Amino acid sequence: MDAHRLLDIFVTEGDELLAELERGLVALEAGDGEQDTIHSVFRAAHTLKGNAGMVGLEAIVSVTHGLEGVLERVRSNALAVSPALTSALLAGLDVIRAQVALVANGTTPLLDATATEVIASLQPWLGKSEAQPTRNAAPESPPEELRVFDVRLRFRPDVFYSGTDPTALVREVSELGELLFCTPDLTQLPAFGEFDPQCFFIAWHLALRTQVNRATLEQVFLFVSDEHQVDITDVTAHHQQELAQRQADKKVGELLVEEGAVKETDLRALLQRQRKLGELLVEDGRVSRETLDRVLAKQKVARRTANSASIRVDVDKLDRLVNAVGELVITVSQVGQQSRHAAASPQTLVSAVEALEAISRELQDQALSLRMVPVEETFSRFHRAVRDLASQLGKYVVLETRGTETELDKNVIEQLVDPLKHMIRNSVSHGIEAPAERVASGKGDTGRLILSASQREGHIVIEVSDDGRGIDPESVLQRARERGLVQEGQLLTEPEICDLLFLPGFSTAAEVSEISGRGVGLDVVRRNVEDLRGTVEIESRFGRGTTFRIRLPLTLAIIDGMLVRVGHETVAIPLLSVLELVEPAPATLTTIEGRGQAVVVRGELLPMVRLSEVLSFAELSEPSRESKVVVIENQGRKFGLLVDRVLGMEQTVIKSLDKSFTLLQRMEQRCARPEGIAGATILGDGSVGFILDVDGIEQAAFGTKPTSSWMS
């Protein structure tokens, strides 16, 4: 197996082991003292260190070794878990995670100042002398009396015969100060068949930061320096030059943040004002807009490739897929024979094609199931986020996860992380009260946050619920009026008031800080969820709590749709949203002044949308005699879509919508996706059709979602 493949395996397993470590550490701090949890955390650290050593990633080995040592003391009951200990271990995990990310990008991580600082911060937990550097000792800026020595050791193969243990010498060196790195040299190892266990073939290259002088260090090797190679070099000046170079390489903004002269949030705000280079070049006439778009498209593809990840697949799923492929091969052979047989009846051919369609559907289902993964891994990463944020705010918050066995398309899960992060941050920072406030209101001092997933009516529903103070509709409405978003005297329902929180930058927080109130980031949540063809809504009870609810399709690849004709175009309506078809007889159609057209369905008056008008499609020269009203239900709300003709039911493969599609050119839409359109599909005759975005159509047609008070 080549080195690149080994590194890929290391990165995949490393991410899983880091996630397991993080879950276990947060659970231990929360009071889970089960031996199984302690052992699993230790095993994860030990395995991660071993894997890093196998692929020669010594920087990761060094940091993980420190974590493993502390966890060993926890496992042996020599050390109790505390918030300070957990914070130190989690800081180590963050460093390792950054190192693994470097490996994923093809870079070998080095034992830099950050990693060295983390290793030093773990020394007190290992029972070492208090003279060891601590987290606040800033090892990247050593006092003048500290020296840095470069040590290279190579022993003769017969070193054991003299009674010398080379590893003991290295251990003795480490006790004189702080090992910046210790890298073994395995180049002299013989082939397995020629290996002699009584001989020694390992050399070492290490760097030591210490207060002892060179003579004291040389005393360690007093009895071996004559017969073995021991090279000691004082590299203090060189080391200081490297530190200075690191400072020189930093940007001005980073240095100002380190000095405390400017806040990082203010710096980011200023940087966002900068014009992008590509836009400046286009504005200056040096690059055409087409060239810039082409380069940006290449960059997007490259980043997508760089961010690609592997997925673990259940063997049973693979077995079912292989069986389906086998059935497909047999059925294709049968269809081929029947089509070439002159005496074959049409009914025989129809039966063969139906069998082929059934196998194709089975193969499709099995292939899509390979991308379906449980949400457990995604949910578990938020335990750490909740723990850190609550600690920062001085709150007590417990995160519960439910429905973690629910499976979702991996692409959807990856794009869900940011929306969930925003909602959880809002719940912890603004929704859940401080302990004193909770006690005063008759609640326990510990807030409760529930992250759940379930499958309902062909959709995945993900909810983030808290038992905090809830949303004050009067406060939100007042802020909206102050900003001119709502006119004085305009009446809004409570759901409509909550919907205002998704407007860009809208917030009810008294102060804008790094952790602000409801509204900060919620516009990002809605935009990201809508990109996944999903919807997001808020349900809140003032004083009792708030629930964010996301509804998503099971997969982004294929949907069952009802094909309809609208003007000269073909549109696929997601079948899960269709309730029934109604003949648009004159007796069932009516017009309500100021409200538009409506249709009567089983005695219920429903608002009606003419799709050709909303989508700006060219209408037929004469009204179609095959017109139908498709009754749609969207999150409990019903309305009708008037179409010219229903073509039938068909599975549609979703394609992204861009300006190259003929339909967009007909509609003269060159850049943005038309509102009410989720994507495009290739039809059976090779033409291109639309896939309807039901929620977008509702927004475009009514401006706001129709409610039970639509007629009022």
Side-chain angles (χ1 to χ4, degrees):
M1 188 178 296
D2 62 27
H4 293 295
R5 178 57 180 159
L6 283 174
L7 289 174
D8 289 342
I9 295 174
F10 168 79
V11 170
T12 301
E13 295 187 352
D15 289 338
E16 294 175 357
L17 291 169
L18 286 169
E20 182 179 348
L21 270 167
E22 192 169 80
R23 286 195 300 269
L25 290 174
V26 174
L28 288 175
E29 185 189 33
D32 183 2
E34 295 291 334
Q35 285 298 314
D36 288 344
T37 304
I38 296 174
H39 289 317
S40 67
V41 170
F42 176 80
R43 282 196 303 271
H46 181 73
T47 303
L48 182 60
K49 186 182 81 169
N51 290 353
M54 288 178 60
V55 292
L57 300 173
E58 295 304 326
I60 297 180
V61 171
S62 298
V63 180
T64 314
H65 179 70
L67 268 65
E68 182 188 27
V70 175
L71 292 171
E72 169 59 31
R73 298 196 70 209
V74 173
R75 188 173 67 154
S76 61
N77 295 321
L79 190 63
V81 177
S82 65
L85 173 61
T86 305
S87 297
L89 292 173
L90 290 174
L93 283 189
D94 291 338
V95 170
I96 297 172
R97 184 174 281 113
Q99 291 174 328
V100 172
L102 288 175
V103 177
N105 292 329
T107 304
T108 300
L110 301 176
L111 197 63
D112 57 12
T114 303
T116 304
E117 181 183 357
V118 166
I119 295 173
S121 72
L122 296 173
Q123 299 305 311
W125 310 107
L126 290 169
K128 296 295 180 65
S129 169
E130 293 298 327
Q132 290 288 341
T134 64
R135 186 174 184 83
N136 297 324
E140 69 272 11
S141 301
E144 292 184 359
E145 64 269 22
L146 288 178
R147 311 297 297 175
V148 179
F149 294 98
D150 182 276
V151 182
R152 297 176 184 269
L153 306 174
R154 183 173 297 280
F155 300 90
R156 288 170 42 181
D158 61 350
V159 64
F160 290 143
Y161 292 95
S162 63
T164 300
D165 182 0
T167 58
L169 295 175
V170 175
R171 193 177 304 114
E172 186 176 351
V173 169
S174 68
E175 294 173 353
L176 294 177
E178 176 193 355
L179 276 183
L180 299 181
F181 65 83
C182 182
T183 306
D185 181 359
L186 308 179
T187 57
Q188 300 301 316
L189 280 176
F192 184 78
E194 302 173 0
F195 191 88
D196 184 357
Q198 296 182 343
C199 294
F200 191 81
F201 304 99
I202 301 175
W204 276 289
H205 177 206
L206 56 91
L208 176 73
R209 181 189 283 128
T210 179
Q211 291 180 323
V212 305
N213 55 28
R214 180 184 182 122
T216 304
L217 180 58
E218 290 176 342
Q219 287 292 321
V220 175
F221 307 102
L222 180 63
F223 299 104
V224 298
S225 58
D226 291 336
E227 297 182 353
H228 305 277
Q229 181 180 344
V230 179
D231 297 320
I232 301 175
T233 306
D234 189 338
V235 294
T236 304
H238 177 70
H239 184 71
Q240 291 173 341
Q241 288 176 358
E242 286 186 344
L243 294 177
Q245 185 62 46
R246 291 196 193 104
Q247 291 293 104
D249 291 340
K250 289 185 178 180
K251 297 178 180 179
V252 173
E254 294 174 322
L255 295 175
L256 290 173
V257 170
E258 289 180 0
E259 291 290 330
V262 64
K263 293 182 179 179
E264 188 173 354
T265 52
D266 295 337
L267 179 64
R268 284 200 299 266
L270 289 171
L271 290 175
Q272 289 175 354
R273 299 181 187 175
Q274 295 181 354
R275 301 286 302 280
K276 294 183 178 180
L277 176 61
E279 297 297 332
L280 291 174
L281 290 173
V282 171
E283 186 178 301
D284 199 38
R286 298 179 182 274
V287 176
S288 66
R289 169 62 63 178
E290 291 75 14
T291 302
L292 177 61
D293 290 343
R294 185 172 65 253
V295 171
L296 291 176
K298 289 182 179 179
Q299 183 188 56
K300 185 176 181 181
V301 172
R303 286 177 175 174
R304 190 186 306 121
T305 302
N307 293 330
S308 62
S310 59
I311 180 173
R312 290 185 180 271
V313 178
D314 193 315
V315 175
D316 290 339
K317 289 184 178 181
L318 288 176
D319 289 341
R320 290 194 292 270
L321 179 63
V322 172
N323 291 337
V325 172
E327 293 292 333
L328 178 65
V329 172
I330 295 172
T331 307
V332 168
S333 177
Q334 292 174 347
V335 171
Q337 290 178 5
Q338 295 292 344
S339 63
R340 291 190 295 270
H341 201 284
S345 65
Q347 184 59 40
T348 303
L349 283 173
V350 169
S351 298
V353 171
E354 289 177 348
L356 184 60
E357 289 177 346
I359 294 297
S360 176
R361 170 65 73 92
E362 171 68 15
L363 186 62
Q364 165 203 308
D365 292 342
Q366 296 302 332
L368 290 179
S369 73
L370 299 182
R371 288 175 32 168
M372 305 295 285
V373 295
V375 299
E376 179 178 11
E377 183 177 345
T378 300
F379 280 11
S380 64
R381 73 177 64 181
F382 294 113
H383 285 283
R384 165 79 183 281
V386 170
R387 180 253 181 205
D388 289 349
L389 186 56
S391 176
Q392 182 180 351
L393 296 171
K395 298 180 180 181
Y396 307 127
V397 182
V398 173
L399 174 64
E400 297 180 18
T401 56
R402 300 176 181 175
T404 55
E405 72 283 353
T406 305
E407 290 190 335
L408 189 57
D409 189 296
K410 181 173 177 59
N411 289 341
V412 176
I413 287 181
E414 290 175 347
Q415 296 178 61
L416 266 183
V417 174
D418 279 345
L420 287 176
K421 178 178 66 176
H422 283 298
M423 290 188 292
I424 288 173
R425 285 177 66 88
N426 272 285
S427 292
V428 176
S429 63
H430 189 86
I432 296 178
E433 310 95 329
E437 183 181 346
R438 290 182 62 86
V439 172
S441 62
K443 303 178 182 179
D445 62 353
T446 300
R448 189 180 180 201
L449 185 63
I450 300 175
L451 180 58
S452 64
S454 60
Q455 186 172 337
R456 306 177 197 169
E457 302 171 353
H459 287 79
I460 293 293
V461 179
I462 296 177
E463 294 181 344
V464 179
S465 304
D466 64 65
D467 64 348
R469 62 172 60 93
I471 297 173
D472 183 0
E474 291 300 325
S475 174
V476 175
L477 190 57
Q478 179 62 31
R479 183 62 61 90
R481 285 172 176 159
E482 291 174 359
R483 298 185 57 183
L485 301 174
V486 177
Q487 302 300 320
E488 289 292 339
Q490 183 179 353
L491 299 179
L492 296 178
T493 64
E494 194 161 312
E496 290 171 340
I497 292 174
C498 290
D499 206 50
L500 295 172
L501 295 170
F502 290 106
L503 296 176
F506 186 90
S507 176
T508 57
E511 297 180 358
V512 177
S513 61
E514 183 180 356
I515 304 171
S516 191
R518 298 264 192 225
V520 176
L522 292 187
D523 60 316
V524 178
V525 171
R526 168 161 283 180
R527 184 169 62 250
N528 289 356
V529 171
E530 289 178 348
D531 287 343
L532 295 172
R533 295 188 292 108
T535 59
V536 58
E537 60 186 23
I538 300 177
E539 181 181 312
S540 182
R541 296 178 63 187
F542 186 50
R544 301 291 297 275
T546 302
T547 296
F548 291 89
R549 186 175 295 111
I550 295 177
R551 296 177 186 270
L552 295 166
L554 285 172
T555 178
L556 298 180
I558 298 175
I559 64 168
D560 290 314
M562 173 183 285
L563 293 184
V564 299
R565 198 73 176 168
V566 181
H568 299 284
E569 313 294 355
T570 301
V571 176
I573 304 174
L575 202 55
L576 289 170
S577 301
V578 177
L579 288 182
E580 58 182 315
L581 296 176
V582 177
E583 293 284 348
T588 64
L589 299 179
T590 184
T591 300
I592 299 178
E593 186 176 355
R595 294 291 183 178
Q597 289 188 308
V599 59
V600 179
V601 180
R602 306 185 190 282
E604 183 180 4
L605 192 63
L606 302 178
M608 190 180 72
V609 178
R610 290 182 177 271
L611 269 185
S612 57
E613 293 180 1
V614 176
L615 296 176
S616 302
F617 285 169
E619 298 186 2
L620 300 176
S621 56
E622 296 182 4
S624 173
R625 297 180 179 179
E626 299 180 83
S627 296
K628 294 287 188 297
V629 174
V630 183
V631 180
I632 298 295
E633 183 175 26
N634 184 35
Q635 300 181 37
R637 301 178 296 270
K638 297 179 183 179
F639 59 96
L641 297 178
L642 182 63
V643 301
D644 295 319
R645 183 184 174 191
V646 175
L647 303 177
M649 315 299 174
E650 188 174 307
Q651 283 195 320
T652 55
V653 180
I654 302 172
K655 301 291 185 181
S656 60
L657 201 61
D658 59 34
K659 63 184 180 181
S660 64
F661 277 114
T662 306
L663 289 177
L664 278 180
Q665 294 172 356
R666 291 177 191 167
M667 296 174 65
E668 297 184 354
Q669 296 279 353
R670 291 295 185 267
C671 298
R673 183 181 72 186
E675 190 171 11
I677 297 299
T681 185
I682 307 299
L683 303 174
D685 60 0
S687 62
V688 179
F690 278 139
I691 296 175
L692 204 67
D693 175 7
V694 174
D695 195 66
I697 284 292
E698 190 178 11
Q699 293 278 2
F702 303 107
T704 183
K705 298 177 175 62
T707 65
S708 57
S709 61
W710 181 77
M711 292 175 56
S712 60

